Amino acid sequence: MTETARTVIIRDTGGPDVFQIEDRPVGEPGRGEVRIAHKACGLNYIDVYHRSGVYPLDLPHGIGMEAAGVIEAVGEGVTHLKVGDRAAYASNPPGAYCAARVMPAAQVCPLPDAISFEEGAAMMLQGMTVEYLFHRTVPLKAGDTVLMHAAAGGVGLIACQWAKSEGITLIGTAGSDAKCQLALDHGATHMINYADEDFVGRVRELTNGRGVDVVMDAVGKDTFEGSLDCLRPVGMMISFGNASGVVPPVDLGMLGKKGSLQITRPTLFSHIADHEVCQEMAQHLFDKVASGAVKINIGQTYPLEKVAQAHRDLEARKTTGSTILTL
């Protein structure tokens, strides 16, 4: 077992330059914990929020919510994992950008042999997010219509395939023709290039004026009001991220005027806090991937030492699909 592990930490919040890479002691797992040696780590927009201070951490702190690797040691009370198991996770506390770590075991999931470590690291946070968006937030069924912003991103490309596998019409948005084509290739029913088109008008046109049943919006400030205008009466707005900035305070009376709209602001971590629910969500995701209904698109790979560049590219919207850090 490794005594120390290369670990990305931040001592201050700010831009990508605040990252530092150090060799840090790993230690042994206590009760309810495991020690995992990572093979690959996932990059997600929540990592930017932690780095920049939008979601505050007690500093200094590790960064990263998602990884895949091999279990090296198991603490007392852990029964669903054993030494040598392949495993993947997306869970608190942050600190996944490292070669190895000790962490709570409850949200670490056995990874099927059919799924690579790279796929495991790329799919857990984004894939389980799609799972709760489609199955745990509002009832969705075949024939329903959803609007998915950033449809060529990591969550978006999984959502496009998931929707197709469930018979759900997905209208997506993206910022270039190439990204729109990528989402169409992954199962989106319609795509809107918001650089060229007013997405609200186009959604109304595609739905014959009715609007969509559900909006799934991780962009935040820039798309929020337009997203509400895309909903049918009593439709559901799922605001699950703020890549363009935090959504300003909302006048609840506006929801009534726009058609008795519903709105929710869920997080993955509320859903996976329960061990059994987390394992069930992961299994649903693994089944989708193993069946071929969902393929994980790893658009870019960076070595751990290039983590700052990975963040710059993510924030500049230069990435497509999922991004991983390799060790």
Side-chain angles (χ1 to χ4, degrees), residues 42-218:
L43 185 75
N44 296 283
Y45 223 94
I46 191 173
D47 306 342
V48 174
Y49 302 152
H50 285 142
R51 189 207 73 218
S52 63
V54 173
Y55 296 168
L57 298 172
D58 292 330
L59 301 178
H61 210 292
I63 290 284
M65 304 300 297
E66 172 181 49
V70 177
I71 300 298
E72 284 192 331
V74 174
E76 274 186 70
V78 176
T79 57
H80 69 292
L81 295 164
K82 64 183 187 302
V83 173
D85 279 356
R86 306 170 79 252
Y89 66 87
S91 71
N92 279 309
Y97 292 0
C98 64
R101 70 186 295 204
V102 169
M103 63 181 296
Q107 283 69 43
V108 180
C109 306
L111 183 68
D113 290 340
I115 297 173
S116 71
F117 289 118
E118 291 76 17
E119 289 172 316
M123 69 190 264
M124 294 299 287
L125 192 145
Q126 295 166 349
M128 289 197 295
T129 294
V130 172
E131 203 275 352
Y132 86 67
L133 288 173
F134 279 84
H135 296 278
R136 297 170 194 271
T137 308
V138 61
L140 279 168
K141 61 187 185 305
D144 285 345
T145 301
V146 304
L147 171 64
M148 167 62 74
H149 288 297
V155 171
L157 291 181
I158 295 172
C160 290
Q161 298 172 81
W162 204 291
K164 185 176 182 180
S165 75
E166 303 272 338
I168 292 166
T169 297
L170 186 142
I171 302 170
T173 69
S176 71
D177 288 343
K179 286 188 173 185
C180 286
Q181 188 57 56
L182 182 64
L184 289 169
D185 292 344
H186 281 73
T189 314
H190 306 283
M191 282 300 296
I192 301 165
N193 182 346
Y194 60 74
D196 297 336
E197 288 187 281
D198 166 38
F199 74 82
V200 178
R202 183 69 177 131
V203 166
R204 287 287 168 184
E205 186 182 318
L206 288 169
T207 58
N208 297 315
R210 175 179 180 267
V212 297
D213 299 295
V214 175
V215 176
M216 300 175 178
D217 187 346

Side-chain angles (χ1 to χ4, degrees), residues 140-327:
L140 279 168
K141 61 187 185 305
D144 285 345
T145 301
V146 304
L147 171 64
M148 167 62 74
H149 288 297
V155 171
L157 291 181
I158 295 172
C160 290
Q161 298 172 81
W162 204 291
K164 185 176 182 180
S165 75
E166 303 272 338
I168 292 166
T169 297
L170 186 142
I171 302 170
T173 69
S176 71
D177 288 343
K179 286 188 173 185
C180 286
Q181 188 57 56
L182 182 64
L184 289 169
D185 292 344
H186 281 73
T189 314
H190 306 283
M191 282 300 296
I192 301 165
N193 182 346
Y194 60 74
D196 297 336
E197 288 187 281
D198 166 38
F199 74 82
V200 178
R202 183 69 177 131
V203 166
R204 287 287 168 184
E205 186 182 318
L206 288 169
T207 58
N208 297 315
R210 175 179 180 267
V212 297
D213 299 295
V214 175
V215 176
M216 300 175 178
D217 187 346
V219 174
K221 180 169 64 71
D222 290 355
T223 51
F224 183 78
E225 288 196 24
S227 291
L228 293 177
D229 290 333
C230 291
L231 284 166
R232 63 161 171 80
V234 203
M236 172 65 84
M237 167 73 171
I238 307 174
S239 176
F240 69 102
N242 31 259
S244 68
V246 177
V247 175
V250 176
D251 172 12
L252 289 178
M254 171 184 66
L255 301 177
K257 292 173 186 172
K258 290 181 179 288
S260 300
L261 303 180
Q262 304 173 72
I263 186 167
T264 183
R265 182 33 171 116
T267 72
L268 172 64
F269 304 105
S270 300
H271 287 279
I272 65 172
D274 180 89
H275 167 72
E276 296 299 335
V277 171
C278 176
Q279 300 296 322
E280 181 183 290
M281 291 171 68
Q283 191 58 55
H284 195 178
L285 172 61
F286 295 152
D287 289 346
K288 284 281 187 185
V289 173
S291 74
V294 171
K295 292 182 172 60
I296 304 304
N297 180 306
I298 300 173
Q300 40 288 309
T301 299
Y302 303 81
L304 188 70
E305 289 72 19
K306 298 289 186 182
V307 61
Q309 188 59 50
H311 271 238
R312 289 188 194 101
D313 291 349
L314 179 65
E315 291 182 272
R317 300 188 182 183
K318 292 181 179 178
T319 64
T320 56
S322 301
T323 302
I324 59 170
L325 303 171
T326 56
L327 295 139

